[in-house]
Amino acid sequence: MTVQNRLYLDHAATTPVLPEARTAVAQALDRWANPSSPHADGRASRAALEQARRDIADALGWRHDIILTSGATEAIAIAAARARVAGRSFSATEHDAVGAAMGSEATILPVDEAGAVDLPQLRAALSRGPTLVAVQQVNNETGVVQPVADVGRVCRERGIHLHCDAVQAAGKIDIDVNLLAADTLSLSAHKIHAPKGIGALYVRRGLTLEPLIAGGAQERRRRAGTENVPLAAAFGAAATLAADANVRPIIASLRNRFESALRQSLDVVIHGADTERVVNTSSVMFRGADAEGIAIALDLEGIAISTGSACSSGRVEPSGVLLAMGLTPEEAKSTVRVSLSRFTTGEEIERVVEVLLRVVPRCLRSS
Ligand code: PLP
């Protein structure tokens, strides 16, 4: 998507807000009464809120409960707080939100070269006693799809609670909660073209959840605080559009065009290319090049992408996800993420390829 001649190819970080989501916010702002108030105005707000919840559930083909939260980070924290067991295990490529919620004592489950969680290691971790397991459906840096259904089967056999972070899956692949056998699952609206500040926690019916913040009885006593109807409505509108799978092959063909053009002219490795990936994300290693330098050069040319690295305390660390997949720190620091959306065009792909072909040779470490 181009904003004032800028080209935005960082949709795994966040997405522009759809016109339908903006309209939903504007309409719901007119229903400003408190959804918990019993008067007619409150009941109108409540109806809008419950409609949004139904829209989200319908778009995903879900029954069971959905708790609306401030985002996926909060949804994950509620799911982690719920576990009444001492043990916690999560895959080595989880988002920081999962790592932080599971705590420093948790067991980290290794992944293979493709980024998929190692099932024998999972079984070994489960044999050490009850644990809460968290495995993402799709990785945010590589787009690799995890074998969550297999993980779910292993957990289900042992009565283990599985949390699935499905933030990067929404709108890109189907999230079949029955197939995944997840007990809780987290989603974030801003990854599917709704505003930031709202997310959802799917809860298998019958599960008891401890609220993180005590207070009012909202969200069936599982998340206190007056509900945000405008953002819920926007989330509902965006979820409905995200369910349209027709755009996925179009995005995949643009992504494939991008990757083949790079392979033809540069020394690149596409991480996870031989495994199942979502359609919109390319994790590209430019052998011998400095990813930060590439990202900065592209930014100066008006193109937004991201590196596979996380910035902490002003220092650029190699990506933990890529290190967990067996890359060296240097290889990780040669990797960028380019992520497309339903708004990406063929001309935009041509533009980013043309700029990369010019810029990458200048960013080689030896030069
Ligand atoms: N999980 C994954 C895989 C993500 O990519 C993100 C966002 O970057 C999050 C969780 C956190 O989501 P939120 O920004 O809604 O808290």
Side-chain angles (χ1 to χ4, degrees):
M1 180 181 205
T2 309
V3 182
Q4 291 161 351
N5 210 31
R6 279 196 60 86
L7 170 51
Y8 183 81
L9 293 174
D10 196 16
H11 293 92
T14 196
T15 53
V17 177
L18 280 167
E20 289 83 348
R22 285 171 192 259
T23 305
V25 171
Q27 286 173 350
L29 281 171
D30 288 335
R31 296 228 175 74
W32 41 263
N34 190 322
S36 298
S37 297
H39 46 61
D41 308 79
R43 292 200 308 276
S45 290
R46 164 69 49 198
L49 180 69
E50 295 311 323
Q51 183 58 51
R53 199 190 308 276
R54 269 195 301 279
D55 288 345
I56 297 164
D58 288 350
L60 295 158
W62 291 354
R63 284 165 290 116
H64 300 265
D65 293 348
I66 289 177
I67 301 176
L68 295 171
T69 64
S70 63
T73 300
E74 186 193 342
I76 292 163
I78 296 173
R82 183 262 165 196
R84 296 206 183 96
V85 287
R88 312 281 166 105
S89 309
F90 63 96
S91 82
T93 56
E94 294 298 307
H95 189 271
D96 283 351
V98 172
M102 300 291 268
S104 54
E105 305 280 291
T107 302
I108 299 182
L109 304 165
V111 297
D112 64 21
E113 271 180 15
V117 73
D118 187 296
L119 292 176
Q121 297 265 6
L122 169 70
R123 285 199 186 88
L126 299 191
S127 69
R128 290 196 283 274
T131 180
L132 165 72
V133 172
V135 175
Q136 63 198 177
Q137 192 172 4
V138 171
N139 184 262
N140 47 304
E141 290 187 26
T142 60
V144 164
V145 177
Q146 285 280 1
V148 181
D150 296 337
V151 172
R153 254 193 308 279
V154 172
C155 291
R156 187 54 62 83
E157 280 160 16
R158 293 162 174 78
I160 297 276
H161 179 123
L162 171 65
H163 177 74
C164 177
D165 171 349
V167 165
Q168 296 287 344
K172 284 136 208 151
I173 51 173
D174 293 337
I175 306 173
D176 181 336
V177 279
N178 292 321
L179 184 71
L180 298 179
D183 299 287
T184 51
L185 190 145
S186 43
L187 285 183
S188 177
H190 73 93
K191 308 286 185 179
I192 57 164
H193 302 281
K196 289 148 201 66
I198 186 150
L201 180 66
Y202 156 90
V203 184
R204 188 174 289 285
R205 197 155 287 156
L207 272 187
T208 324
L209 279 179
E210 307 293 338
L212 273 187
I213 306 166
Q218 293 91 353
E219 300 293 303
R220 301 208 197 159
R221 299 194 174 279
R222 293 177 296 194
R223 202 256 178 182
T226 305
E227 302 92 334
N228 193 330
V229 181
L231 289 190
F235 193 2
T240 304
L241 287 156
D244 173 13
N246 293 327
V247 294
R248 296 177 196 167
I250 301 168
I251 303 173
S253 80
L254 289 172
R255 194 263 322 261
N256 295 344
R257 228 164 101 183
F258 170 69
E259 293 181 352
S260 347
L262 293 184
R263 280 197 180 105
Q264 266 166 31
S265 308
L266 294 169
D267 187 5
V268 294
V269 175
I270 315 290
H271 302 308
D274 298 330
T275 192
E276 190 186 353
R277 285 183 298 157
V278 285
V279 292
N280 76 320
T281 302
S282 283
S283 175
V284 189
M285 179 173 93
F286 294 96
R287 212 182 285 282
D290 172 42
E292 276 298 312
I294 296 173
I296 291 167
L298 259 67
D299 196 27
L300 291 172
E301 297 261 359
I303 302 175
I305 60 159
S306 74
T307 61
S309 312
C311 232
S312 61
S313 327
R315 280 188 322 130
V316 179
E317 303 290 349
S319 149
V321 168
L322 299 178
L323 296 183
M325 289 167 68
L327 272 72
T328 64
E330 184 166 320
E331 288 171 329
K333 286 179 161 198
S334 296
T335 299
V336 301
R337 178 184 68 187
V338 177
S339 45
L340 321 184
S341 79
R342 60 174 63 214
F343 299 115
T344 306
T345 65
E347 291 74 47
E348 292 177 345
I349 295 299
E350 277 162 30
R351 180 171 157 203
V352 67
V353 169
E354 180 269 311
V355 174
L356 279 167
L357 296 190
R358 257 191 302 116
V359 155
V360 171
R362 296 206 307 258
C363 295
L364 291 175
R365 287 204 185 84
S366 51
S367 63

